[in-house]
Amino acid sequence: MSTPQQIANEAASIADRAAMLAEQARQMAEVVAPVAAAAEPFLYLLTIFLMACFVGYYVVWSVTPALHSPLMGVTNAISSVIVVGAILATGLSDSVAAKVFGFLAVTLAAVNIFGGFMVTRRMLAMFKKKGG
Amino acid sequence: MATTLSTLAYLVASVLFILALRGLSHPETSRQGNLFGMIGMAIAIVATLLKPGMGFGGIALVIVGLAIGGTIGTIVAQRIQMTALPQLVAAFHSLVGMAAVFVAAAALYSPQSFGIGVPGNIKGASLLEMSLGLAIGAITFSGSVIAFLKLAGRMSGAPIIFKGQHMLNAGLGALLLVLIIAFVATGSPFLFWLIAILAFALGFLLIIPIGGADMPVVVSMLNSYSGWAAAGIGFTIGNLLLIVTGALVGASGAILSYIMCKGMNRSIINVLLGGFGSDGGAAAAGPGAADRAPVKAGSPEDAAYIMKNAQKIIVVPGYGMAVAQAQQVVREMADLLKKEGAEISYAIHPVAGRMPGHMNVLLAEANVPYDEVHELEEINAEFADADVAYVIGANDVTNPAAKTDKSSAIYGMPILDVERAKTVFFVKRGMASGYAGVENELFFRPNTMMLFGDAKKVTQEIVQALQK
């Protein structure tokens, strides 16, 4: 049987070791944290990108070949969602150069957005059923 | 609008874009799909305009840009002829490419707008993403401009080939990579613009060796590039919606390129290396040509007489129908034949026309119901019990040599089995070979009758003969 004194000593040494390990863990975390913080958003975006590639793959294979031209029209219009970046550049920046580039990008993307959706609408309106 | 709210709006827009593509699985749901796409875009734009920090001046400037671009886009889309669709799409791709270049430039000069650093001290990862978006955008721009010029006939569709071309392109590609690495290391604006210029040159050089009839592949591929460029910019500025949309568009263009290549039984590398269809075709006539039976030429009246008595007629349209603008008169002919009791359908080869699905749109424009129009796999078995195959403006896609002649340039390409029909009418201006430079042995078959002349004029004469 161990005496209360022995138990107390053992407990003390275990507590010491735990404290040491905690300190080591903290040090390691300090080293890793900046890397993880930098990598995490990128990995997060990459995950979403790859998922979207898969969604695109399956959705596009289900498009009927007869509508491949409208598909190009729609994808063309939605790829101009780059306008979001252009708007941020135009609206949020103090640099004149960035504002000008942003404005030019907004204008070009707008041609595409309106042109792409409109021409697709025109195409789709022509597809009619027999007797329709 | 708080960041969480705008992120939520972007998520909704992404879902709407996916639904827009999903809608295209059937003509009935497609119009609703397009509407979803428009709503998604409107949500994305409004959510961005409402972000914190947007000043009144900035919002006004954006609205001016949207109004100018929107007006131009709307007018162009309303006025464009459906036959000119391929070059319109190419032109639109070039704009996406250029917009990507501009957004990348804006991010370089004002990185704090996107939270990626301060001018002169931008995060390395952001510089890498920025330069990728820039390079892909610039290649998309100049490549699409060349594709546009070729499709619009403002530049010869013939491949432009010179010695050491592929070495030059490979060298420029390697130089581009080196510049990107140097740019990531330094963040120098000078290197940024050097990358832009080099990528513009590369886009130009990559597309000039590709022949006119390979443009469906090129247009699909540039479609894919414009998506990857948008995704690259999305990574740069850390925007979910751009990344998701870029991936959708990139995947879509890649799949279309794959379908087009498969339709020609060629690898994407073979198409991209270019030079196909450059030899005039005279040499390809082959030794057998002289021994062949003479070609049987007929008059539109003969064709009208035979078709009047036919039960089942399959029309095979190709790019020549689009060039001659003959789709309307083809439909008139079909209407008259239907009155005579014939059953009419249309067979579309995957690579007919100058962009994926081009023929379907042209026939739809001429009020041909979409349920009469069939893809190759659906209809190929039906040629065997068809009385007449009416081939108008198509050539290589009907050549039986693709099935039998291993030495032929088109060997292995899936073709429409028109030769199985009782009578084959070939509407053609002359005996010239098709794009692949291969003579079509079908012209010499006993069941083939050539109708020489312009596609529209010949069909019009058939319509007149039918009306008598």
Side-chain angles (χ1 to χ4, degrees), chain B residues 173-236:
Chain B
L175 184 60
L176 190 63
L177 281 184
V178 172
L179 284 178
I180 288 177
I181 293 168
F183 173 69
V184 173
T186 63
S188 138
F190 173 72
L191 286 175
F192 178 92
W193 293 111
L194 214 54
I195 292 173
I197 291 167
L198 193 64
F200 281 136
L202 200 55
F204 172 80
L205 288 167
L206 284 173
I207 307 300
I208 54 168
I210 305 177
D214 279 342
M215 283 300 136
V217 182
V218 171
V219 172
S220 318
M221 198 184 67
L222 291 167
N223 183 237
S224 179
Y225 284 5
S226 67
W228 304 131
I233 298 296
F235 275 107
T236 314

Side-chain angles (χ1 to χ4, degrees), chain B residues 25-340:
Chain B
S25 57
H26 195 274
E28 290 307 307
T29 53
S30 63
R31 286 173 273 261
Q32 191 192 32
N34 197 42
L35 189 65
F36 283 149
M38 292 187 208
I39 297 171
M41 188 61 80
I43 290 176
I45 291 174
V46 171
T48 311
L49 281 173
L50 293 180
K51 276 201 164 200
M54 278 282 168
F56 178 74
I59 293 178
L61 203 57
V62 168
I63 289 175
V64 171
L66 288 175
I68 296 173
T71 311
I72 297 172
T74 308
I75 292 173
V76 169
Q78 299 291 352
R79 295 205 177 151
I80 193 82
Q81 292 244 332
M82 283 297 147
T83 37
L85 212 53
Q87 51 263 45
L88 177 76
V89 170
F92 279 164
H93 288 156
S94 75
L95 299 184
V96 183
M98 203 60 205
V101 170
F102 285 146
V103 175
L108 178 71
Y109 288 103
S110 177
Q112 64 274 35
S113 307
F114 304 105
I116 54 171
V118 291
N121 187 15
I122 302 174
K123 281 187 254 170
S126 302
L127 285 174
L128 178 64
E129 292 151 358
M130 188 192 294
S131 52
L132 288 179
L134 163 71
I136 302 172
I139 291 175
T140 309
F141 172 75
S142 56
S144 299
V145 168
I146 301 298
F148 166 78
L149 292 174
K150 286 197 177 200
L151 287 165
R154 300 194 193 176
M155 176 180 164
S156 161
I160 298 171
I161 323 174
F162 52 87
K163 220 168 167 250
Q165 191 166 27
H166 300 316
M167 283 308 289
L168 175 71
N169 290 349
L172 288 179
L175 184 60
L176 190 63
L177 281 184
V178 172
L179 284 178
I180 288 177
I181 293 168
F183 173 69
V184 173
T186 63
S188 138
F190 173 72
L191 286 175
F192 178 92
W193 293 111
L194 214 54
I195 292 173
I197 291 167
L198 193 64
F200 281 136
L202 200 55
F204 172 80
L205 288 167
L206 284 173
I207 307 300
I208 54 168
I210 305 177
D214 279 342
M215 283 300 136
V217 182
V218 171
V219 172
S220 318
M221 198 184 67
L222 291 167
N223 183 237
S224 179
Y225 284 5
S226 67
W228 304 131
I233 298 296
F235 275 107
T236 314
I237 66 173
N239 188 294
L240 274 178
L241 178 59
L242 262 65
I243 292 174
V244 170
T245 314
L248 292 177
V249 176
S252 164
I255 290 174
L256 289 178
S257 313
Y258 170 80
I259 293 174
M260 294 294 111
C261 286
K262 217 173 127 230
M264 298 191 290
N265 189 38
R266 290 168 59 198
S267 71
I268 185 95
I269 304 291
N270 179 294
V271 174
L272 296 187
L273 287 181
F276 201 76
S278 51
D279 30 291
D291 318 329
R292 283 218 174 96
V295 172
K296 196 165 65 180
S299 70
E301 288 77 20
D302 298 337
Y305 176 77
I306 293 174
M307 284 202 274
K308 220 172 196 169
N309 296 305
Q311 288 300 309
K312 184 168 176 166
I313 299 172
I314 302 178
V315 179
V316 180
Y319 182 56
M321 182 187 80
V323 174
Q325 301 263 24
Q327 59 271 24
Q328 200 71 40
V329 62
V330 166
R331 206 255 313 146
E332 280 171 38
M333 179 182 86
D335 285 350
L336 289 170
L337 291 168
K338 274 189 211 163
K339 274 190 204 144
E340 301 288 338

Side-chain angles (χ1 to χ4, degrees), chain A residues 17-86:
Chain A
R17 275 196 57 191
M20 208 173 73
L21 284 173
E23 173 61 15
Q24 268 178 6
R26 197 188 59 79
Q27 277 172 359
M28 277 167 79
E30 257 175 20
V31 175
V32 173
V35 180
E40 225 169 74
F42 175 74
L43 282 181
Y44 165 69
L45 294 179
L46 190 66
T47 310
I48 288 173
F49 175 71
L50 290 177
M51 290 297 161
C53 283
F54 278 102
V55 172
Y57 180 85
Y58 288 107
V59 170
V60 172
W61 272 116
S62 76
V63 171
T64 165
L67 295 180
H68 276 165
S69 283
L71 172 67
M72 298 201 94
V74 169
T75 50
N76 187 51
I78 65 171
S79 65
S80 306
V81 73
I82 205 160
V83 75
V84 166

